[in-house]
Amino acid sequence: MNAERKLLALELVRERKISELLPGAANEQWEASGVCVGEGYFYVIFDNSPHIARLAGSLTVGDPANILLRQRGQTAGFEDITYHERERRFLILIEALALDECYKPLIEEYDDDFRFIQSLWVDFPLQNANKGMEGITYVCRDGQDYVLCMCEGNKCKSGRAGRKPGGGRIHIFQRGKNQWKHAGVIKLPPSVLFKDYACLDVDGNQVAVVSQRSAALWIGAFQESGWDFVDEGVIYPFPKNEKGKVVYGNVEGVGWITPTQIVVVSDKYKPGEQPSRCRAKDQSIHVFNLPTP
């Protein structure tokens, strides 16, 4: 991998606070956790609300396409969203819920109008409810349908062990009769030294993974068949302020717009844990170009 290229920051195209885009939402909290791109819209989900925001791709304030799709249920704790193209339904990931004597992720399914269809457990026991699966993406590979889910901690561990860089893990699942069955694991290259993993998205063979704590994006590529990567990929930091300090410290979701452009969303700033400069970019949606080498 070209070490110099790793230092090229992403190029900001446009960004907005989500509260600016949703009518009547100026005084509400929008703890964005995932984003999905489809037909010119961004679909954003939140870990503090069951509702889904549909935002025009231009991120224009006052665009009538910007609406909040309100859900009747009271489910909260949404972590990410993807679109199952073959079955034409949205899949929404809930990080972890108690089941018997452990915790497991849950995937809820919705039709194109966000009417609830069903929910299925994900066959992957977790240590606790706060360090579970953080990202989901639908993939059709070698003629088979899969969802890929990203563990938040390195080697899918919590605590100090999960913060030891170099153990990024993506788990492969296929829908069974009563649950999403575990079908394999993908290891990120050991050179991806992220402190955590906030989300992923796949477009064709291109893979995007974001880290909140490392404030960076990793881009890799699958080989034409199977789950092996072509090489170690490239790491791009998010832009820093004029003093070289991190400001994109709350990135949660990522989605491909084009092969050279991504959208990300940011969660709420954490007082006491983060410097106040991170507040300026929180609860927002951002569009970035991948830099030209």
Side-chain angles (χ1 to χ4, degrees), residues 1-189:
M1 190 191 320
N2 187 325
E4 293 184 359
R5 190 180 177 191
K6 288 173 60 177
L7 300 178
L8 292 177
L10 295 164
E11 299 170 353
L12 180 64
V13 178
R14 56 188 179 274
E15 63 185 0
R16 289 283 186 185
K17 290 281 188 180
I18 292 172
S19 59
E20 295 176 340
L21 297 171
L22 292 176
N27 297 319
E28 298 185 48
Q29 300 291 328
W30 299 103
E31 300 177 18
S33 55
V35 61
C36 176
V37 182
E39 298 182 347
Y41 299 113
F42 301 136
Y43 295 91
V44 183
I45 50 98
F46 309 93
D47 59 20
N48 68 325
S49 171
H51 309 312
I52 297 102
R54 189 193 71 186
L55 306 174
S58 63
L59 302 185
T60 302
V61 174
D63 192 313
N66 298 336
I67 60 173
L68 188 66
L69 302 166
R70 296 190 176 273
Q71 303 301 301
R72 293 182 179 180
Q74 299 300 315
T75 303
F78 288 161
E79 282 299 330
D80 199 16
I81 181 171
T82 189
Y83 189 70
H84 194 305
E85 295 176 3
R86 193 191 301 270
E87 296 185 356
R88 297 189 59 82
R89 60 181 62 180
F90 290 93
L91 308 180
I92 295 180
L93 174 69
I94 298 173
E95 178 178 10
L97 295 173
L99 179 66
D100 298 327
E101 297 181 356
C102 68
Y103 295 90
K104 285 188 176 182
L106 186 74
I107 295 176
E108 295 188 343
E109 303 182 21
Y110 296 80
D111 68 13
D112 280 340
D113 296 316
F114 280 97
R115 292 183 295 244
F116 178 78
I117 299 172
Q118 68 174 349
S119 61
L120 292 176
W121 291 102
V122 178
D123 183 24
F124 194 81
L126 298 161
Q127 294 177 329
N128 57 58
N130 297 320
K131 294 295 179 182
M133 293 296 184
E134 285 284 303
I136 185 172
T137 185
Y138 162 78
V139 176
C140 180
R141 194 139 186 89
D142 300 329
Q144 298 292 315
D145 292 326
Y146 301 93
V147 294
L148 307 184
C149 294
M150 187 92 222
C151 280
E152 180 178 358
N154 280 283
K155 297 184 179 179
C156 296
K157 296 182 179 180
S158 58
R160 182 179 297 178
R163 294 191 295 272
K164 183 179 179 181
R169 298 291 185 266
I170 299 170
H171 287 268
I172 309 165
F173 299 93
Q174 285 188 292
R175 189 196 282 117
K177 184 176 181 180
N178 299 311
Q179 65 178 349
W180 287 89
K181 301 182 298 182
H182 193 261
V185 60
I186 303 166
K187 296 181 179 181
L188 294 192

Side-chain angles (χ1 to χ4, degrees), residues 134 196-199 210-216 246 248-252 266-268 270 274:
E134 285 284 303
D196 70 352
Y197 307 87
C199 195
V210 290
S211 170
Q212 183 175 118
R213 288 182 176 271
S214 298
V246 169
Y248 291 93
N250 300 88
V251 171
E252 280 277 347
S266 292
D267 198 354
K268 182 183 176 183
K270 302 175 183 64
Q274 295 179 302

